[in-house]
Amino acid sequence: MQEASSVNEAERLAALALYQVLDTPPEFAFDAVTELAAEICNCPVAIVSLIDERRQWFKSKYGLPADFTECPREITVCNSTVCANDLVYVPDLTAHERFKHVGVVTGEPHLRFYCGMPLISREGYGLGTLCVVAFEPRELRPSQREAVRRLAQQAMALLELRRQLLERNALLTELAQAKASAEEARDQSERLLRNILPEPVAHELQHRGKVEPRFHEATTILFADFKKFTLLTESLDPARLIDQLDQNFGRFDEIAVNNRLETIKTIGDAYLCAGGLPMPSRTHAIDTCLAALQMQAFIRSANRQREKFRLAPWELRIGINSGPVIAGIVGHRRFTYDIWGNAVNVAQRLEEACEPGRVNISASTFHHVSRLFDAEARGSVGVKHIGATDMYFLDRIRPEFSADADGVTPNAEFWRASGAG
């Protein structure tokens, strides 16, 4: 008879591990099997056991002390039964050449009778046994032996049910993890989309698959760039240049958000944002002028630090214009929210006509903000491709509306006077 420690033992132990049954508490269904086996066979002891690498462990036992839960596999008859493929029936163990020297026969508890059936998995591995034993020789009728077979099949069915439940739970866990991963990927995709596009535009794109162009009648456009940027590119290594530009634009983004503006895009050293879109705003011109003053204040502060290290200053020019624009999405693989119209072109020309460190606004913007801000009239200035255009240098918030000496931060009276408070 083949020993349990021989062929395919590693695979058998791996199969046993799939059931996760070793050292689990007693269960009524298994106890019912052993009790029924003992009664049918008229034997004092019945056992459902599993055999691992070193022991025979009792999942259920009838007729044995409660604290007797396992024994070394090498002294048991079941160590051979687990490698069989059918019933092992021995009326007198002491008369059997294979078993008369086994430890449980020669020593305690001095077994004399044994009938056991291997518990065989669906892959064909013997995991353990159902056996009935007695302490004196005896015979079983064929019907009793068949009952042991059937009860072993029932015990194996209980084990298979346990495995199926474990597999189902593992599958549910895997599905839950996959769902969580998919939701996280979707949320991340939505966050990325909302970082690229205004939220209402991103929502429309997600739900309709496209975004209709929109005409916005009342907007204010801010166009900024750095004078002599080419000279900076020649004096700085690319990594430092991009890092500093990223810091500047990152702060501009924060200022834009704080003032309810929408960042449109950056082009090299140029920065474009706008107020009054995609959602209308009564204070679009005021918000944009506040943002411009705060951007210049940030650059001035950064330049004071650069001066200490004898570094060339960043010279920011800002042009602002109010008027209608068309806004929409361009691109199919990489979406970009952009704006078009004469108002955008004028803002860019105003930036080109601006002095470094200042904010140049159009007459249309001045009309919206003159009661709240101090501005210096520049008169009519010739603009390329546009002609003579009235311009103003935006200096600061009027002192009575300012919370700071520089005229960059508005006070409560500012918002009451603006009509937004």
Side-chain angles (χ1 to χ4, degrees), residues 226-286:
F226 292 97
K227 185 180 179 183
K228 299 179 181 178
F229 182 74
T230 303
L231 296 179
L232 287 172
T233 63
E234 294 172 354
S235 61
L236 290 175
D237 64 84
R240 289 180 58 200
L241 179 68
I242 296 302
D243 180 64
Q244 291 185 27
L245 195 61
D246 180 64
Q247 290 181 30
N248 292 337
F249 285 168
R251 180 61 183 137
F252 289 0
D253 284 343
E254 293 174 4
I255 292 171
V257 170
N258 292 339
N259 289 284
R260 298 171 294 279
L261 305 185
E262 190 66 48
T263 298
I264 305 300
K265 61 184 174 181
T266 61
I267 308 170
D269 66 319
Y271 184 90
L272 177 64
C273 63
L277 54 80
M279 303 301 295
S281 169
R282 292 193 308 167
T283 60
H284 58 87
I286 296 170

Short mmCIF file of all heavy atoms in Angstrom, two decimals, residues 226-286:
data_model
loop_
_atom_site.label_atom_id
_atom_site.label_comp_id
_atom_site.label_asym_id
_atom_site.label_seq_id
_atom_site.Cartn_x
_atom_site.Cartn_y
_atom_site.Cartn_z
N PHE A 226 6.44 87.48 -19.38
CA PHE A 226 7.64 88.03 -18.77
C PHE A 226 8.51 88.67 -19.86
O PHE A 226 8.88 88.01 -20.84
CB PHE A 226 8.42 86.94 -18.04
CG PHE A 226 7.70 86.42 -16.82
CD1 PHE A 226 6.94 85.25 -16.88
CD2 PHE A 226 7.76 87.11 -15.63
CE1 PHE A 226 6.27 84.79 -15.78
CE2 PHE A 226 7.09 86.65 -14.50
CZ PHE A 226 6.34 85.48 -14.58
N LYS A 227 8.84 89.94 -19.66
CA LYS A 227 9.71 90.63 -20.59
C LYS A 227 11.12 90.05 -20.51
O LYS A 227 11.58 89.66 -19.44
CB LYS A 227 9.73 92.12 -20.27
CG LYS A 227 10.52 92.95 -21.26
CD LYS A 227 10.50 94.42 -20.89
CE LYS A 227 11.32 95.24 -21.88
NZ LYS A 227 11.39 96.67 -21.52
N LYS A 228 11.80 90.02 -21.63
CA LYS A 228 13.18 89.53 -21.72
C LYS A 228 13.30 88.07 -21.24
O LYS A 228 14.31 87.69 -20.67
CB LYS A 228 14.13 90.42 -20.93
CG LYS A 228 14.18 91.86 -21.42
CD LYS A 228 15.13 92.69 -20.59
CE LYS A 228 15.17 94.14 -21.06
NZ LYS A 228 16.07 94.97 -20.22
N PHE A 229 12.24 87.30 -21.46
CA PHE A 229 12.29 85.90 -21.04
C PHE A 229 13.39 85.15 -21.78
O PHE A 229 14.02 84.25 -21.23
CB PHE A 229 10.93 85.23 -21.30
CG PHE A 229 10.87 83.80 -20.85
CD1 PHE A 229 10.80 83.47 -19.51
CD2 PHE A 229 10.90 82.77 -21.79
CE1 PHE A 229 10.74 82.14 -19.11
CE2 PHE A 229 10.84 81.44 -21.39
CZ PHE A 229 10.76 81.14 -20.04
N THR A 230 13.64 85.53 -23.02
CA THR A 230 14.68 84.86 -23.81
C THR A 230 16.04 85.01 -23.14
O THR A 230 16.86 84.08 -23.14
CB THR A 230 14.73 85.43 -25.23
OG1 THR A 230 13.45 85.28 -25.84
CG2 THR A 230 15.77 84.69 -26.06
N LEU A 231 16.30 86.19 -22.55
CA LEU A 231 17.57 86.38 -21.85
C LEU A 231 17.68 85.47 -20.64
O LEU A 231 18.76 84.97 -20.31
CB LEU A 231 17.71 87.85 -21.42
CG LEU A 231 17.79 88.88 -22.55
CD1 LEU A 231 17.88 90.29 -21.99
CD2 LEU A 231 18.99 88.58 -23.46
N LEU A 232 16.57 85.25 -19.95
CA LEU A 232 16.57 84.34 -18.81
C LEU A 232 16.87 82.91 -19.25
O LEU A 232 17.57 82.17 -18.57
CB LEU A 232 15.22 84.39 -18.09
CG LEU A 232 14.94 85.65 -17.26
CD1 LEU A 232 13.49 85.64 -16.78
CD2 LEU A 232 15.88 85.74 -16.07
N THR A 233 16.34 82.53 -20.40
CA THR A 233 16.58 81.17 -20.88
C THR A 233 18.06 80.96 -21.20
O THR A 233 18.56 79.84 -21.12
CB THR A 233 15.75 80.87 -22.15
OG1 THR A 233 16.15 81.75 -23.19
CG2 THR A 233 14.27 81.03 -21.86
N GLU A 234 18.75 82.03 -21.55
CA GLU A 234 20.16 81.90 -21.89
C GLU A 234 21.05 81.88 -20.65
O GLU A 234 22.17 81.37 -20.68
CB GLU A 234 20.58 83.07 -22.80
CG GLU A 234 19.90 83.04 -24.17
CD GLU A 234 20.18 84.30 -24.98
OE1 GLU A 234 20.80 85.23 -24.41
OE2 GLU A 234 19.79 84.35 -26.16
N SER A 235 20.55 82.43 -19.53
CA SER A 235 21.38 82.52 -18.32
C SER A 235 21.09 81.43 -17.31
O SER A 235 21.85 81.26 -16.35
CB SER A 235 21.16 83.89 -17.66
OG SER A 235 19.80 84.04 -17.29
N LEU A 236 20.00 80.68 -17.47
CA LEU A 236 19.64 79.62 -16.53
C LEU A 236 19.64 78.27 -17.25
O LEU A 236 19.32 78.19 -18.43
CB LEU A 236 18.24 79.87 -15.95
CG LEU A 236 18.09 81.04 -14.96
CD1 LEU A 236 16.62 81.21 -14.60
CD2 LEU A 236 18.92 80.83 -13.70
N ASP A 237 20.00 77.22 -16.48
CA ASP A 237 19.88 75.89 -17.07
C ASP A 237 18.40 75.52 -17.18
O ASP A 237 17.57 76.06 -16.42
CB ASP A 237 20.63 74.85 -16.23
CG ASP A 237 20.04 74.70 -14.84
OD1 ASP A 237 19.07 73.94 -14.71
OD2 ASP A 237 20.55 75.34 -13.90
N PRO A 238 18.04 74.66 -18.11
CA PRO A 238 16.61 74.38 -18.37
C PRO A 238 15.83 73.95 -17.13
O PRO A 238 14.70 74.38 -16.93
CB PRO A 238 16.67 73.25 -19.42
CG PRO A 238 17.98 73.45 -20.10
CD PRO A 238 18.92 73.96 -19.06
N ALA A 239 16.44 73.09 -16.29
CA ALA A 239 15.71 72.58 -15.12
C ALA A 239 15.35 73.71 -14.17
O ALA A 239 14.20 73.79 -13.68
CB ALA A 239 16.55 71.52 -14.41
N ARG A 240 16.30 74.60 -13.87
CA ARG A 240 16.03 75.71 -12.96
C ARG A 240 15.03 76.68 -13.57
O ARG A 240 14.16 77.23 -12.88
CB ARG A 240 17.32 76.44 -12.61
CG ARG A 240 18.26 75.65 -11.70
CD ARG A 240 19.52 76.46 -11.41
NE ARG A 240 19.18 77.75 -10.80
CZ ARG A 240 20.00 78.79 -10.78
NH1 ARG A 240 21.18 78.71 -11.39
NH2 ARG A 240 19.65 79.91 -10.18
N LEU A 241 15.15 76.92 -14.86
CA LEU A 241 14.23 77.83 -15.53
C LEU A 241 12.79 77.33 -15.45
O LEU A 241 11.87 78.06 -15.07
CB LEU A 241 14.64 78.01 -16.99
CG LEU A 241 13.74 78.93 -17.82
CD1 LEU A 241 13.85 80.37 -17.35
CD2 LEU A 241 14.07 78.80 -19.30
N ILE A 242 12.61 76.06 -15.79
CA ILE A 242 11.26 75.48 -15.76
C ILE A 242 10.73 75.45 -14.33
O ILE A 242 9.54 75.70 -14.08
CB ILE A 242 11.26 74.07 -16.37
CG1 ILE A 242 11.64 74.13 -17.85
CG2 ILE A 242 9.90 73.40 -16.21
CD1 ILE A 242 10.73 75.00 -18.69
N ASP A 243 11.60 75.14 -13.36
CA ASP A 243 11.17 75.10 -11.96
C ASP A 243 10.68 76.47 -11.51
O ASP A 243 9.62 76.58 -10.86
CB ASP A 243 12.33 74.62 -11.09
CG ASP A 243 11.94 74.55 -9.62
OD1 ASP A 243 11.06 73.74 -9.29
OD2 ASP A 243 12.51 75.31 -8.81
N GLN A 244 11.42 77.52 -11.83
CA GLN A 244 11.01 78.86 -11.42
C GLN A 244 9.74 79.30 -12.14
O GLN A 244 8.85 79.92 -11.55
CB GLN A 244 12.14 79.85 -11.67
CG GLN A 244 13.34 79.63 -10.75
CD GLN A 244 14.41 80.69 -10.93
OE1 GLN A 244 14.13 81.81 -11.33
NE2 GLN A 244 15.65 80.34 -10.65
N LEU A 245 9.65 78.98 -13.42
CA LEU A 245 8.43 79.32 -14.17
C LEU A 245 7.23 78.57 -13.60
O LEU A 245 6.13 79.13 -13.48
CB LEU A 245 8.63 78.99 -15.65
CG LEU A 245 7.61 79.58 -16.64
CD1 LEU A 245 7.64 81.11 -16.59
CD2 LEU A 245 7.88 79.09 -18.05
N ASP A 246 7.45 77.33 -13.21
CA ASP A 246 6.37 76.54 -12.62
C ASP A 246 5.93 77.14 -11.28
O ASP A 246 4.73 77.17 -10.97
CB ASP A 246 6.84 75.09 -12.42
CG ASP A 246 5.76 74.22 -11.81
OD1 ASP A 246 4.72 74.02 -12.46
OD2 ASP A 246 5.96 73.73 -10.68
N GLN A 247 6.89 77.61 -10.48
CA GLN A 247 6.54 78.25 -9.22
C GLN A 247 5.71 79.50 -9.46
O GLN A 247 4.70 79.75 -8.77
CB GLN A 247 7.80 78.59 -8.44
CG GLN A 247 8.55 77.40 -7.89
CD GLN A 247 9.78 77.82 -7.11
OE1 GLN A 247 9.84 78.89 -6.52
NE2 GLN A 247 10.80 76.97 -7.11
N ASN A 248 6.11 80.31 -10.44
CA ASN A 248 5.36 81.53 -10.75
C ASN A 248 3.95 81.21 -11.22
O ASN A 248 2.96 81.76 -10.71
CB ASN A 248 6.08 82.34 -11.83
CG ASN A 248 7.40 82.92 -11.35
OD1 ASN A 248 7.61 83.11 -10.15
ND2 ASN A 248 8.30 83.21 -12.28
N PHE A 249 3.83 80.30 -12.17
CA PHE A 249 2.50 79.97 -12.70
C PHE A 249 1.66 79.24 -11.66
O PHE A 249 0.43 79.37 -11.65
CB PHE A 249 2.64 79.13 -13.97
CG PHE A 249 3.06 79.94 -15.18
CD1 PHE A 249 3.46 79.32 -16.36
CD2 PHE A 249 3.04 81.33 -15.15
CE1 PHE A 249 3.84 80.07 -17.47
CE2 PHE A 249 3.41 82.08 -16.26
CZ PHE A 249 3.81 81.45 -17.42
N GLY A 250 2.30 78.44 -10.81
CA GLY A 250 1.56 77.77 -9.74
C GLY A 250 0.92 78.78 -8.80
O GLY A 250 -0.24 78.63 -8.39
N ARG A 251 1.67 79.84 -8.47
CA ARG A 251 1.11 80.90 -7.62
C ARG A 251 0.04 81.67 -8.38
O ARG A 251 -0.99 82.05 -7.79
CB ARG A 251 2.22 81.84 -7.17
CG ARG A 251 1.73 82.97 -6.27
CD ARG A 251 1.11 82.45 -5.00
NE ARG A 251 0.59 83.55 -4.20
CZ ARG A 251 -0.57 83.54 -3.58
NH1 ARG A 251 -1.35 82.45 -3.65
NH2 ARG A 251 -0.97 84.57 -2.87
N PHE A 252 0.23 81.90 -9.66
CA PHE A 252 -0.81 82.57 -10.46
C PHE A 252 -2.11 81.75 -10.44
O PHE A 252 -3.21 82.34 -10.37
CB PHE A 252 -0.34 82.76 -11.90
CG PHE A 252 0.75 83.79 -12.08
CD1 PHE A 252 1.26 84.49 -10.99
CD2 PHE A 252 1.27 84.06 -13.34
CE1 PHE A 252 2.26 85.44 -11.16
CE2 PHE A 252 2.27 85.01 -13.51
CZ PHE A 252 2.77 85.70 -12.43
N ASP A 253 -1.98 80.44 -10.55
CA ASP A 253 -3.18 79.58 -10.49
C ASP A 253 -3.93 79.76 -9.18
O ASP A 253 -5.16 79.83 -9.15
CB ASP A 253 -2.78 78.11 -10.66
CG ASP A 253 -2.44 77.74 -12.10
OD1 ASP A 253 -2.82 78.51 -13.00
OD2 ASP A 253 -1.81 76.69 -12.31
N GLU A 254 -3.18 79.81 -8.07
CA GLU A 254 -3.82 80.00 -6.76
C GLU A 254 -4.52 81.35 -6.69
O GLU A 254 -5.66 81.44 -6.19
CB GLU A 254 -2.76 79.92 -5.65
CG GLU A 254 -2.13 78.55 -5.50
CD GLU A 254 -0.99 78.56 -4.48
OE1 GLU A 254 -0.75 79.62 -3.86
OE2 GLU A 254 -0.34 77.51 -4.31
N ILE A 255 -3.86 82.38 -7.19
CA ILE A 255 -4.48 83.72 -7.20
C ILE A 255 -5.74 83.72 -8.07
O ILE A 255 -6.77 84.30 -7.69
CB ILE A 255 -3.46 84.76 -7.70
CG1 ILE A 255 -2.33 84.92 -6.68
CG2 ILE A 255 -4.14 86.09 -7.98
CD1 ILE A 255 -1.16 85.77 -7.18
N ALA A 256 -5.68 83.05 -9.22
CA ALA A 256 -6.85 82.99 -10.10
C ALA A 256 -8.02 82.30 -9.41
O ALA A 256 -9.15 82.80 -9.44
CB ALA A 256 -6.48 82.25 -11.39
N VAL A 257 -7.76 81.18 -8.77
CA VAL A 257 -8.83 80.46 -8.07
C VAL A 257 -9.42 81.31 -6.96
O VAL A 257 -10.65 81.39 -6.78
CB VAL A 257 -8.29 79.13 -7.51
CG1 VAL A 257 -9.32 78.49 -6.56
CG2 VAL A 257 -7.96 78.17 -8.64
N ASN A 258 -8.55 81.97 -6.18
CA ASN A 258 -9.03 82.79 -5.06
C ASN A 258 -9.88 83.97 -5.53
O ASN A 258 -10.69 84.50 -4.75
CB ASN A 258 -7.84 83.31 -4.26
CG ASN A 258 -7.11 82.20 -3.52
OD1 ASN A 258 -7.67 81.14 -3.27
ND2 ASN A 258 -5.86 82.44 -3.16
N ASN A 259 -9.71 84.37 -6.78
CA ASN A 259 -10.48 85.50 -7.33
C ASN A 259 -11.52 85.06 -8.35
O ASN A 259 -11.98 85.87 -9.17
CB ASN A 259 -9.52 86.52 -7.95
CG ASN A 259 -8.72 87.27 -6.91
OD1 ASN A 259 -9.23 88.17 -6.24
ND2 ASN A 259 -7.46 86.88 -6.73
N ARG A 260 -11.89 83.77 -8.32
CA ARG A 260 -12.97 83.23 -9.16
C ARG A 260 -12.68 83.35 -10.65
O ARG A 260 -13.58 83.54 -11.47
CB ARG A 260 -14.31 83.90 -8.82
CG ARG A 260 -14.78 83.66 -7.42
CD ARG A 260 -15.99 84.51 -7.06
NE ARG A 260 -15.65 85.93 -7.03
CZ ARG A 260 -15.05 86.54 -6.00
NH1 ARG A 260 -14.70 85.85 -4.93
NH2 ARG A 260 -14.79 87.84 -6.04
N LEU A 261 -11.40 83.26 -11.01
CA LEU A 261 -11.03 83.28 -12.42
C LEU A 261 -10.78 81.86 -12.91
O LEU A 261 -10.46 80.97 -12.13
CB LEU A 261 -9.77 84.13 -12.64
CG LEU A 261 -9.79 85.56 -12.13
CD1 LEU A 261 -8.50 86.27 -12.54
CD2 LEU A 261 -11.01 86.31 -12.64
N GLU A 262 -10.86 81.68 -14.21
CA GLU A 262 -10.59 80.39 -14.82
C GLU A 262 -9.27 80.49 -15.58
O GLU A 262 -9.12 81.32 -16.48
CB GLU A 262 -11.71 80.00 -15.78
CG GLU A 262 -11.62 78.58 -16.27
CD GLU A 262 -11.83 77.59 -15.13
OE1 GLU A 262 -12.79 77.74 -14.35
OE2 GLU A 262 -11.01 76.64 -15.04
N THR A 263 -8.29 79.66 -15.19
CA THR A 263 -7.05 79.60 -15.95
C THR A 263 -7.33 78.94 -17.30
O THR A 263 -7.88 77.84 -17.35
CB THR A 263 -5.97 78.82 -15.20
OG1 THR A 263 -5.69 79.49 -13.97
CG2 THR A 263 -4.69 78.72 -16.01
N ILE A 264 -6.95 79.59 -18.37
CA ILE A 264 -7.21 79.06 -19.72
C ILE A 264 -6.02 78.24 -20.20
O ILE A 264 -6.16 77.06 -20.55
CB ILE A 264 -7.51 80.20 -20.71
CG1 ILE A 264 -8.68 81.05 -20.19
CG2 ILE A 264 -7.84 79.62 -22.08
CD1 ILE A 264 -9.97 80.30 -19.97
N LYS A 265 -4.83 78.82 -20.20
CA LYS A 265 -3.66 78.09 -20.67
C LYS A 265 -2.40 78.88 -20.40
O LYS A 265 -2.44 80.08 -20.07
CB LYS A 265 -3.78 77.80 -22.18
CG LYS A 265 -3.86 79.05 -23.06
CD LYS A 265 -4.06 78.67 -24.52
CE LYS A 265 -4.30 79.90 -25.38
NZ LYS A 265 -4.51 79.56 -26.80
N THR A 266 -1.28 78.20 -20.55
CA THR A 266 0.03 78.85 -20.56
C THR A 266 0.68 78.52 -21.89
O THR A 266 0.53 77.40 -22.41
CB THR A 266 0.92 78.36 -19.41
OG1 THR A 266 1.13 76.96 -19.53
CG2 THR A 266 0.28 78.65 -18.06
N ILE A 267 1.37 79.51 -22.44
CA ILE A 267 2.09 79.30 -23.71
C ILE A 267 3.50 79.82 -23.49
O ILE A 267 3.73 81.04 -23.48
CB ILE A 267 1.43 80.04 -24.88
CG1 ILE A 267 -0.07 79.71 -24.96
CG2 ILE A 267 2.11 79.70 -26.19
CD1 ILE A 267 -0.83 80.58 -25.93
N GLY A 268 4.46 78.94 -23.29
CA GLY A 268 5.81 79.39 -22.98
C GLY A 268 5.81 80.16 -21.69
O GLY A 268 5.47 79.64 -20.63
N ASP A 269 6.17 81.46 -21.76
CA ASP A 269 6.18 82.30 -20.56
C ASP A 269 4.90 83.13 -20.44
O ASP A 269 4.82 84.01 -19.59
CB ASP A 269 7.39 83.24 -20.59
CG ASP A 269 7.30 84.26 -21.73
OD1 ASP A 269 6.88 83.87 -22.83
OD2 ASP A 269 7.65 85.42 -21.50
N ALA A 270 3.91 82.87 -21.28
CA ALA A 270 2.66 83.62 -21.26
C ALA A 270 1.60 82.87 -20.46
O ALA A 270 1.53 81.65 -20.48
CB ALA A 270 2.16 83.87 -22.69
N TYR A 271 0.74 83.66 -19.78
CA TYR A 271 -0.30 83.09 -18.91
C TYR A 271 -1.61 83.77 -19.25
O TYR A 271 -1.70 85.01 -19.30
CB TYR A 271 0.08 83.34 -17.46
CG TYR A 271 -0.86 82.73 -16.45
CD1 TYR A 271 -0.65 81.44 -15.96
CD2 TYR A 271 -1.94 83.44 -15.96
CE1 TYR A 271 -1.50 80.88 -15.02
CE2 TYR A 271 -2.80 82.89 -15.03
CZ TYR A 271 -2.57 81.62 -14.56
OH TYR A 271 -3.42 81.04 -13.63
N LEU A 272 -2.66 82.97 -19.50
CA LEU A 272 -3.96 83.50 -19.88
C LEU A 272 -5.03 82.99 -18.92
O LEU A 272 -5.14 81.78 -18.70
CB LEU A 272 -4.30 83.08 -21.32
CG LEU A 272 -5.68 83.48 -21.86
CD1 LEU A 272 -5.79 85.00 -21.94
CD2 LEU A 272 -5.92 82.85 -23.23
N CYS A 273 -5.80 83.90 -18.35
CA CYS A 273 -6.93 83.51 -17.52
C CYS A 273 -8.06 84.49 -17.77
O CYS A 273 -7.88 85.54 -18.41
CB CYS A 273 -6.56 83.44 -16.04
SG CYS A 273 -6.04 85.01 -15.32
N ALA A 274 -9.26 84.18 -17.25
CA ALA A 274 -10.41 85.03 -17.53
C ALA A 274 -11.43 84.93 -16.42
O ALA A 274 -11.56 83.90 -15.75
CB ALA A 274 -11.04 84.65 -18.87
N GLY A 275 -12.19 86.01 -16.24
CA GLY A 275 -13.30 86.04 -15.32
C GLY A 275 -14.62 86.10 -16.07
O GLY A 275 -14.69 86.59 -17.20
N GLY A 276 -15.69 85.58 -15.44
CA GLY A 276 -17.01 85.61 -16.08
C GLY A 276 -17.31 84.41 -16.93
O GLY A 276 -18.31 84.40 -17.66
N LEU A 277 -16.49 83.36 -16.85
CA LEU A 277 -16.77 82.12 -17.56
C LEU A 277 -16.12 80.95 -16.81
O LEU A 277 -15.20 81.17 -16.02
CB LEU A 277 -16.24 82.19 -19.01
CG LEU A 277 -14.77 82.55 -19.24
CD1 LEU A 277 -13.81 81.41 -19.03
CD2 LEU A 277 -14.61 83.12 -20.64
N PRO A 278 -16.60 79.74 -16.98
CA PRO A 278 -17.77 79.37 -17.79
C PRO A 278 -19.10 79.80 -17.16
O PRO A 278 -20.13 79.75 -17.80
CB PRO A 278 -17.67 77.85 -17.87
CG PRO A 278 -16.98 77.47 -16.61
CD PRO A 278 -16.00 78.57 -16.33
N MET A 279 -19.06 80.20 -15.85
CA MET A 279 -20.28 80.69 -15.21
C MET A 279 -20.25 82.21 -15.18
O MET A 279 -19.21 82.81 -14.86
CB MET A 279 -20.39 80.13 -13.78
CG MET A 279 -20.37 78.61 -13.71
SD MET A 279 -21.71 77.85 -14.68
CE MET A 279 -23.15 78.44 -13.77
N PRO A 280 -21.35 82.87 -15.50
CA PRO A 280 -21.38 84.33 -15.50
C PRO A 280 -21.08 84.89 -14.10
O PRO A 280 -21.35 84.26 -13.09
CB PRO A 280 -22.83 84.66 -15.92
CG PRO A 280 -23.33 83.41 -16.58
CD PRO A 280 -22.65 82.28 -15.90
N SER A 281 -20.50 86.10 -14.09
CA SER A 281 -20.18 86.77 -12.83
C SER A 281 -20.33 88.27 -13.01
O SER A 281 -19.81 88.84 -13.97
CB SER A 281 -18.76 86.43 -12.39
OG SER A 281 -18.35 87.25 -11.31
N ARG A 282 -21.01 88.90 -12.07
CA ARG A 282 -21.17 90.35 -12.14
C ARG A 282 -19.87 91.08 -11.84
O ARG A 282 -19.70 92.24 -12.22
CB ARG A 282 -22.25 90.82 -11.15
CG ARG A 282 -23.66 90.38 -11.49
CD ARG A 282 -24.66 91.13 -10.66
NE ARG A 282 -24.35 91.06 -9.23
CZ ARG A 282 -24.91 91.84 -8.31
NH1 ARG A 282 -25.76 92.77 -8.68
NH2 ARG A 282 -24.59 91.69 -7.04
N THR A 283 -18.96 90.42 -11.14
CA THR A 283 -17.72 91.08 -10.70
C THR A 283 -16.52 90.62 -11.51
O THR A 283 -15.39 90.68 -11.03
CB THR A 283 -17.47 90.79 -9.21
OG1 THR A 283 -17.36 89.37 -9.01
CG2 THR A 283 -18.60 91.34 -8.35
N HIS A 284 -16.70 90.15 -12.73
CA HIS A 284 -15.60 89.58 -13.50
C HIS A 284 -14.45 90.55 -13.70
O HIS A 284 -13.28 90.18 -13.59
CB HIS A 284 -16.11 89.06 -14.86
CG HIS A 284 -16.79 90.08 -15.71
ND1 HIS A 284 -16.11 90.90 -16.58
CD2 HIS A 284 -18.11 90.42 -15.82
CE1 HIS A 284 -16.96 91.68 -17.21
NE2 HIS A 284 -18.19 91.42 -16.76
N ALA A 285 -14.75 91.83 -13.98
CA ALA A 285 -13.68 92.81 -14.19
C ALA A 285 -12.96 93.12 -12.88
O ALA A 285 -11.73 93.23 -12.84
CB ALA A 285 -14.26 94.08 -14.79
N ILE A 286 -13.72 93.26 -11.79
CA ILE A 286 -13.12 93.53 -10.48
C ILE A 286 -12.23 92.38 -10.05
O ILE A 286 -11.09 92.57 -9.59
CB ILE A 286 -14.24 93.77 -9.44
CG1 ILE A 286 -15.03 95.02 -9.79
CG2 ILE A 286 -13.67 93.85 -8.03
CD1 ILE A 286 -16.30 95.20 -8.98
#
